[in-house]
């Protein structure tokens, strides 16, 4: 019930405070005495629209405040839902500035007009000369039936259970949405995992393939230069090995006359051995260098697949792709486990 109404700077009222007793309170007066103004002020704390032109003093803000005793109204859930402090004596306050800006408060906590109006409608009924039209409103008809039948306890019990049902339904819808999202995530993770697994990636594969492709793409030039080097070392008319052998023979014929020449002869023999070894390796490399366009295409396709996966996952190495593959495997397992738990 309304216990006190305070009006500041509204219409003809500069400042007014009215106290109300329990039971019937009557305001009487001749036309123009201000009865409607009091009701108008009361409607402001019920969330009605306000205009600054109705201010007593246009230089000051208008403040309307009502104190209500709400212990018997079963409003604890409303206060909880709107994150408000529940007090058995609750104060509704509306402040309107001269520029038309409005603020509303419930127990000094700011609220929007919608919340203020919803609370006000639970506390006050204003019956005007056109109130009879409400008799056609189904909600009003139910209110009358419940009031006459004194169904307040039954109605409160129903509302409590219905609210619990709505919360459960909301939670169910949330779980269904999470489940659907989990299935979508599972499909996405599974697709990515399958793509990486199908690639059969090996940690150091990329470096070997890039080196092989570089060799295959330049096989003709490599073979030509290897053959040229080998020709200069041992097959040509003026081959390095031939020249060194002749030089060694020349030194060998005179080494008995000078110990220093013997040492040089030995060094030339060592160089000949080293050059023969180099020539053998050059020949082996040349023999294993092939012009193979089919293999080059195969390697190129394999590298393209690797590069595409790296680009897709925004990484630069196969090691990083393998790490992502492992993480995706974990996500797939988690998604499957979560789906079973539902």
């Amino acid at each position: 019930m309304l216990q006190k109404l305070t009006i500041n700077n509204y219409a003809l009222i500069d400042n007014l405070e009215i106290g109300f007793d329990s039971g019937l309170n009557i305001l009487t007066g001749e036309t123009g005495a201000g009865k409607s103004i009091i009701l108008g002020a009361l409607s402001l704390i019920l969330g009605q629209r306000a205009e600054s032109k109705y201010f007593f003093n246009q230089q000051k803000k208008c403040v309307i405040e009502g104190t209500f005793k709400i212990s018997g109204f079963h409003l604890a859930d409303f206060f909880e839902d709107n994150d408000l402090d529940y007090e058995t004596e609750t104060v509704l306050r509306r402040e309107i500035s001269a520029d038309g800006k409005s603020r509303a408060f419930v127990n000094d906590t700011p609220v929007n007009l919608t919340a203020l109006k919803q609370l006000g409608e639970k506390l006050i009924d204003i019956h005007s000369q056109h109130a009879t039209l409400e008799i056609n409103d189904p909600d009003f008809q139910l209110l009358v039936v419940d009031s006459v039948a004194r169904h307040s306890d039954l109605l409160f019990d129903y509302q409590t259970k219905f609210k619990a049902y709505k919360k459960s339904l909301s939670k169910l819808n949330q779980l269904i949405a999470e489940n659907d999202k989990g299935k979508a995530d599972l499909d996405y993770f599974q697709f990515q995992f399958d793509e990486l697994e199908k690639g059969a990636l090996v940690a150091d594969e990329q470096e070997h393939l890039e080196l092989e492709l570089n060799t295959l793409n330049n096989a003709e030039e490599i073979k030509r230069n290897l053959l040229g080097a080998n020709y200069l070392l041992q097959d040509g008319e003026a081959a390095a090995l031939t020249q060194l052998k002749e030089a060694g023979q020349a030194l060998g014929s005179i080494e008995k006359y000078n110990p220093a020449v013997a040492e040089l002869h030995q060094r030339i023999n060592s160089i000949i051995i080293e050059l023969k070894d180099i020539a053998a390796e050059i020949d082996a490399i040349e023999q294993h260098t092939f012009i193979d366009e089919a293999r080059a295409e195969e390697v190129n396709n394999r590298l393209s697949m690797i590069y595409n996966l790296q680009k897709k996952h925004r990484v630069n190495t196969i090691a990083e792709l393998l790490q992502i593959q492992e993480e995706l495997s974990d996500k797939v397992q988690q998604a499957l486990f979560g789906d079973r738990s539902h």
Side-chain angles (χ1 to χ4, degrees):
M1 60 167 285
L2 179 62
Q3 293 182 307
K4 184 173 66 174
L5 180 66
T6 303
I7 305 172
N8 290 293
N9 193 36
Y10 179 70
L12 301 177
I13 300 174
D14 182 18
N15 185 284
L16 176 66
E17 183 176 301
I18 308 173
F20 298 92
D21 294 326
S22 59
L24 179 63
N25 295 267
I26 300 175
L27 298 176
T28 65
E30 61 186 16
T31 302
K35 301 184 296 298
S36 298
I37 293 175
I38 293 174
L39 285 175
L42 185 59
S43 69
L44 290 179
I45 58 173
L46 301 181
Q48 298 301 313
R49 182 180 176 185
E51 296 185 24
S52 59
K53 67 180 181 179
Y54 296 121
F55 289 4
F56 180 82
N57 183 341
Q58 294 294 326
Q59 305 304 316
K60 296 167 58 179
K61 68 180 178 180
C62 168
V63 180
I64 312 297
E65 187 173 281
T67 302
F68 296 83
K69 185 177 181 180
I70 65 170
S71 55
F73 286 77
H74 305 299
L75 293 174
D77 288 342
F78 177 87
F79 277 74
E80 181 182 351
D81 292 342
N82 289 274
D83 198 22
L84 298 171
D85 295 329
Y86 178 80
E87 303 287 348
T88 55
E89 284 194 358
T90 288
V91 178
L92 275 61
R93 186 170 81 254
R94 183 86 177 275
E95 298 180 359
I96 303 115
S97 303
D99 59 4
K101 294 182 179 179
S102 171
R103 296 194 302 168
F105 302 86
V106 175
N107 292 332
D108 291 326
T109 299
V111 297
N112 56 41
L113 284 184
T114 300
L116 184 69
K117 185 175 182 179
Q118 290 174 347
L119 178 57
E121 290 175 349
K122 297 178 183 296
L123 299 175
I124 297 175
D125 288 321
I126 297 179
H127 302 278
S128 65
Q129 57 185 338
H130 300 294
T132 54
L133 297 176
E134 290 185 350
I135 199 169
N136 295 318
D137 186 350
D139 291 337
F140 179 75
Q141 294 171 1
L142 287 174
L143 176 63
V144 172
V145 171
D146 289 330
S147 299
V148 172
R150 298 182 179 180
H151 284 164
S152 58
D153 291 339
L154 181 62
L155 183 62
F156 177 71
D157 182 60
Y158 169 79
Q159 290 172 338
T160 301
K161 291 179 179 178
F162 183 74
K163 182 178 179 181
Y165 161 74
K166 294 294 286 184
K167 284 186 176 179
S168 297
L169 183 62
S170 176
K171 180 63 176 177
L172 174 61
N173 290 332
Q174 180 183 348
L175 290 174
I176 291 173
E178 290 176 355
N179 185 56
D180 291 342
K181 182 179 183 300
K183 290 180 178 178
D185 288 343
L186 173 60
D187 291 341
Y188 178 66
F189 295 149
Q190 187 70 59
F191 171 78
Q192 289 192 314
F193 173 79
D194 291 345
E195 187 178 42
L196 287 170
E197 187 179 45
K198 183 180 178 181
L201 301 171
V202 180
D204 57 352
E205 176 184 16
Q206 181 177 350
E207 292 78 6
H208 292 307
L209 288 174
E210 288 173 340
L211 180 60
E212 182 181 358
L213 182 62
N214 190 43
T215 299
L216 288 168
N217 287 338
N218 297 279
E220 185 176 351
E221 181 180 357
I222 292 171
K223 288 180 72 70
R224 183 173 62 252
N225 283 277
L226 288 173
L227 289 171
N230 202 24
Y231 177 80
L232 292 174
L233 284 176
Q234 60 182 357
D235 295 333
E237 293 181 1
L241 282 172
T242 301
Q243 299 291 329
L244 284 172
K245 287 178 181 179
E246 292 179 358
Q249 290 172 356
L251 292 176
S253 65
I254 61 171
E255 63 180 5
K256 59 185 176 182
Y257 305 121
N258 189 332
V261 174
E263 182 181 351
L264 292 174
H265 184 202
Q266 183 62 39
R267 288 169 66 184
I268 286 179
N269 288 334
S270 297
I271 292 173
I272 291 172
I273 294 172
E274 178 67 15
L275 283 180
K276 285 182 177 181
D277 186 60
I278 291 173
E281 290 190 24
I282 289 175
D283 185 63
I285 294 174
E286 189 275 329
Q287 293 295 324
H288 288 85
T289 300
F290 303 100
I291 301 174
D292 190 341
E293 295 182 359
R295 176 57 183 170
E297 182 178 1
E298 179 184 344
V299 173
N300 189 61
N301 290 338
R302 178 69 177 170
L303 282 172
S304 294
M305 182 273 293
I306 293 172
Y307 295 151
N308 287 334
L309 287 174
Q310 289 173 343
K311 182 178 180 181
K312 180 176 181 178
H313 294 279
R314 299 180 181 179
V315 295
N316 298 311
T317 66
I318 288 182
E320 291 172 303
L321 286 176
L322 291 172
Q323 177 64 32
I324 292 172
Q325 182 178 339
E326 183 177 351
E327 292 172 357
L328 286 170
S329 177
D330 292 340
K331 289 179 179 179
V332 168
Q333 294 304 315
Q334 290 172 4
L336 289 172
F337 177 79
D339 191 54
R340 287 197 300 269
S341 67
H342 290 326

